[in-house]
Amino acid sequence: MKWPSLWNVALALLPAQLTGSMYEDDEARRETREEMVRALQSFSRSAAQWLLRLAQVLLGFSVLLVTATILYSVLYYLIIPSRLHEQEIFFDYGDHAALSLSPAARTAAPTLPTAYLNLLKPHHQWEFSPLVEMEPTDTRVLVPGVKYDVFVELEMPESQVNRDIGMFMLQTTLKSHDGEFLASSARSAIVKDSHSLVELVRVFSWLVPYALRVTEPSQTVRVLAVNGFKEGKQHPLTSVTLVLNHPAVQIYSARLTIIAQLAGVRYLMYHWSVSTAVLVILNFVFVEALGLLILYAYYNLPVPDTDDTRHKSPITTDQGKVFEQNRSGGIPPVHVERAMKEEPMETAELLNRASAGELLSALQEEEMQLRYRKSASEETMAAALAASLKDE
């Protein structure tokens, strides 16, 4: 459809007093308006069709994305083992008030933040008297012969104190139920600092959540304390001791996680969970879309016709039989069994002799009469040969 120009549309919408002589005929004005209405209707129908198609595509993609996410969740649940032990950590800062005193007033070194965790007790870092009835505990929390990784997660505020402290050390000690030393490590950690301009942009972007106390400016420092620890049968792991080497380190919360050591795909799915999830889900979506496309093509596309005649060998026609049928009026020739002194000649040979003007013997003449029910004179045979050649 040809769209009307914007100038004609504007003139058609204006009153007749303003347009003057440009639209003296009301019929022309009405036709312009009708043309504009038809164009708008056509555009609205096209827009509605495209919007409907877009909605269908988005709906289909959403369904594929949801199903792919469910498949990945099931796969993650089957492949990644559950966290075998996870426990909150509460550090004991001791006489922390001494830090507020002047250096000259400090009489003793402040106590380092320390946390002692008993993995067998159902309660965490609190003691009870004999009057309190508690359920009996297990003798071990890990499976013997399996290697584990011990992680410590520290949620630390982005305060000026932590920035001034900089690098600090986290000391981890693993012991058995009888107090035997099993393993120890010292790992460094730090609150990452960024440029002041980046900090300003982030503060402005999170200004409302910060003002409403929904969240706080903090960082989660994940420390691999012990890797590849193999649980023993005689001395199982039962307690963990954690010490921070700086008394002024500020921490919102801390958590201890012990998980079976992962490798290969499990390692990627656990330690690079977001990237692996996006990649695997997109692959699932592609496979699902490809499968639906193949099913649609199988059930909806027409099957091409196969021309069997092209593969068949051409049928050769016996011209002698055709000639015999034409000469006998479509009636098959009559063959009479009789004793003959010589073998009967083929029809083609008889025709060749007749066309060459050779004389036929009595038996050959009789054979021709039996086949064609008439005399086999030279003129007749010549006419028959001409008719046969014409039919070919």
Side-chain angles (χ1 to χ4, degrees), residues 18 56 62 78 90 99 128 202 265 317 319 326 338 344 382 387:
L18 297 178
Q56 292 175 349
S62 301
L78 295 176
F90 301 96
L99 295 175
F128 59 92
R202 189 174 61 177
V265 178
T317 305
Q319 299 297 331
N326 293 333
R338 56 188 176 84

Side-chain angles (χ1 to χ4, degrees), residues 151-168:
F151 292 92
V152 178
E153 295 180 2
L154 304 175
E155 185 181 0
M156 308 179 64
E158 296 179 345
S159 60
Q160 190 62 38
V161 175
N162 285 338
R163 289 191 175 93
D164 293 339
I165 291 174
M167 192 74 67
F168 63 95

Side-chain angles (χ1 to χ4, degrees), residues 237-300:
L237 174 63
T238 58
S239 63
V240 180
T241 303
L242 303 171
V243 180
L244 301 177
N245 72 336
H246 199 287
V249 175
Q250 298 176 347
I251 296 176
Y252 280 146
S253 62
R255 181 178 296 273
L256 174 71
T257 302
I258 302 177
I259 189 172
Q261 196 174 48
L262 304 176
V265 178
R266 292 183 176 183
Y267 181 85
L268 294 176
M269 294 179 67
Y270 182 76
H271 295 282
W272 300 85
S273 57
V274 177
S275 303
T276 307
V278 172
L279 183 61
V280 175
I281 288 174
L282 290 180
N283 280 274
F284 280 164
V285 170
F286 174 75
V287 172
E288 290 175 350
L290 183 61
L292 292 177
L293 183 61
I294 293 175
L295 289 177
Y296 176 81
Y298 180 78
Y299 286 104
N300 292 277

Side-chain angles (χ1 to χ4, degrees), residues 140 142-148 229-234:
R140 64 173 65 246
L142 305 180
V143 180
V146 180
K147 293 183 179 181
Y148 296 90
F229 173 77
K230 188 175 182 179
E231 175 73 353
K233 295 182 179 180
Q234 301 297 331

Side-chain angles (χ1 to χ4, degrees), residues 14 29 31 47 51 63 67 77 83 123 142 178 187 194 213 241 248 250 256 259 289 300 330 346 370 373:
L14 293 176
R29 181 185 296 274
E31 291 179 357
L51 289 177
V63 172
T67 55
Y77 176 78
R83 293 186 175 185
H123 58 280
L142 305 180
D178 52 0
R187 298 287 187 264
S194 57
R213 296 291 182 179
T241 303
Q250 298 176 347
L256 174 71
I259 189 172
N300 292 277
E346 297 292 337
L370 290 174
R373 293 180 175 83

Side-chain angles (χ1 to χ4, degrees), residues 23-91:
Y23 271 110
E24 296 179 355
D25 191 0
D26 292 339
E27 185 67 21
R29 181 185 296 274
R30 186 179 61 82
E31 291 179 357
T32 304
R33 289 183 178 179
E34 291 179 354
E35 184 180 0
M36 181 186 65
V37 170
R38 288 194 298 268
L40 291 177
Q41 290 177 351
S42 176
F43 175 76
S44 61
R45 286 194 296 268
S46 301
Q49 292 177 357
W50 280 105
L51 289 177
L52 180 60
R53 293 176 182 176
L54 180 61
Q56 292 175 349
V57 171
L58 292 178
L59 179 61
F61 181 77
S62 301
V63 172
L64 294 179
L65 188 62
V66 170
T67 55
T69 305
I70 294 175
L71 290 176
Y72 178 77
S73 301
V74 174
L75 183 65
Y76 188 91
Y77 176 78
L78 295 176
I79 292 180
I80 300 299
S82 60
R83 293 186 175 185
L84 299 177
H85 190 83
E86 189 175 22
Q87 185 173 336
E88 292 285 343
I89 302 174
F90 301 96
F91 285 96

